[in-house]
Amino acid sequence: MNHREFAASLPRDELARLNETNDAAGLRHLAGHAGIIIVSGLWIGMGLPLWQIMLVPHGVFICFLFTLEHEATHKTPFASAWINEWAGRMCGFAIFLPFEWFRYFHLAHHRWTNIPGKDPELADGSRPETVAAYILYVSGLPYWLGMAKRTFFNAIGRDLGEFVPNRARRRVVIESRIMLTCYVLAGISLLATDLLFWIWILPCLLGQPLLRLYLLAEHGHCALVANMLENTRTTYTNGIIRRLAWNMPYHVEHHTLPQVPFHKLPELNFHMTGWHRVTSDGYVNATREYARKLDL
């Protein structure tokens, strides 16, 4: 069995219903995600009791905007194209991941999932195989350094990646130039106040390791084949994590039918009962399973 056979097994009317996007569902979810970032940010900024402890969850809330940016590359979180575009750009700015560039990086990943030499995710060290590489990866440092380098190279039009089409190169360059300008201005503001350091920069550094562990579960130690039922993992977890990650723990479902919006993935999971080949019962188990296979 493969993912194409599953897709072909769905009645056309049901597939059409699953593919329907919806502004209301996306905006409700965005309001919840943005709301918790605002509340935790105010907690820190106002110095409320235990604000130091709040730095980590606040950083996790910000870093998991990646899952919305990721969905926006597929134009599925919202029915309105302009909301998808601006949500993706704003999330990309918050987590230092240029949206225009990431759009094409991610679409190439979907086209060539887990195929060595073709999937760009396999070329950036995102699948550590040794204990030392794993610790470094989970620290998030390679991500921050890689994105700083990527944003700078994009801004000067250098080494954008073969997956970026010529028609999009100008947009990629302009976006990164705007991002760099804003980051410089944010850096200058630190001379007057350290507020951005406490509510943005430090929390992002502290929250990134949790996102790294989450991302390893998506394809880590899955088969290097074209079948999405074998090269991708669905992780069964609690509703809090599913909501924070915009239902992306249903990752086999997402890769099988990426045009299905996040709020329909639980339904798609039900339809896929009996088709899954790689699953984990929670992220603790997924992390344990990954770590067990590391080389010294």
Side-chain angles (χ1 to χ4, degrees), residues 17-260:
R17 191 187 66 80
L18 288 170
N19 287 345
E20 291 176 355
T21 54
N22 185 298
D23 278 344
L27 290 173
R28 284 195 301 269
H29 206 99
L30 178 58
H33 199 145
I36 197 169
I37 290 174
I38 292 171
V39 169
S40 57
L42 287 173
W43 190 317
I44 295 167
M46 297 173 64
L48 297 180
L50 302 178
W51 69 267
Q52 298 93 337
I53 295 176
M54 185 58 66
L55 290 168
V56 174
H58 179 61
V60 172
F61 302 150
I62 295 174
C63 288
F64 269 78
L65 287 172
F66 167 83
T67 53
L68 172 54
E69 179 177 5
H70 154 268
E71 275 297 274
T73 66
H74 296 285
K75 305 179 181 181
T76 55
F78 311 96
S80 298
W82 71 270
I83 304 180
N84 285 312
E85 292 297 297
W86 282 102
R89 291 190 180 100
M90 296 304 292
C91 290
F93 178 80
I95 62 174
F96 303 84
L97 178 58
F99 176 66
E100 290 289 349
W101 173 84
F102 179 65
R103 183 202 312 269
Y104 299 104
F105 174 96
H106 187 66
L107 293 180
H109 161 64
H110 265 263
R111 183 179 182 184
W112 305 108
T113 305
N114 260 22
I115 302 301
K118 293 185 176 181
D119 184 349
E121 278 200 4
L122 296 178
D124 65 357
S126 63
R127 312 283 174 81
E129 297 297 337
T130 67
V131 172
Y134 180 81
I135 293 172
L136 181 62
Y137 170 84
V138 172
S139 74
L141 292 178
Y143 171 80
W144 298 119
L145 293 174
M147 286 301 101
K149 178 180 176 181
R150 169 50 45 209
T151 305
F152 176 75
F153 279 175
N154 285 358
I156 63 175
R158 174 182 169 187
D159 189 28
L160 302 184
E162 294 181 356
F163 46 81
V164 178
N166 289 332
R167 69 179 185 279
R169 290 180 175 259
R170 183 171 178 271
R171 295 199 306 273
V172 168
V173 170
I174 291 174
E175 177 190 51
S176 286
R177 289 176 179 175
I178 293 173
M179 290 177 69
L180 284 179
T181 300
C182 292
Y183 292 147
V184 169
L185 293 174
I188 293 174
S189 77
L190 294 175
L191 298 176
T193 173
D194 60 359
L195 182 61
L196 287 182
F197 175 79
W198 292 108
I199 68 170
W200 182 28
I201 299 172
L202 181 59
C204 281
L205 293 174
L206 297 175
Q208 187 65 215
L210 272 297
L211 178 62
R212 293 297 106 192
L213 290 172
Y214 160 85
L215 291 174
L216 279 178
E218 294 183 343
H219 305 283
H221 292 151
C222 292
L224 302 178
V225 298
N227 184 4
M228 302 299 178
L229 302 180
E230 299 179 45
N231 64 24
T232 304
R233 177 183 288 102
T234 280
T235 301
Y236 292 103
T237 185
N238 61 67
I240 294 174
I241 295 178
R242 287 198 304 271
R243 186 167 184 82
L244 180 64
W246 290 69
N247 276 335
M248 283 303 106
Y250 293 120
H251 215 59
V252 173
E253 292 77 2
H254 169 67
H255 268 262
T256 298
L257 292 171
Q259 71 273 22
V260 173

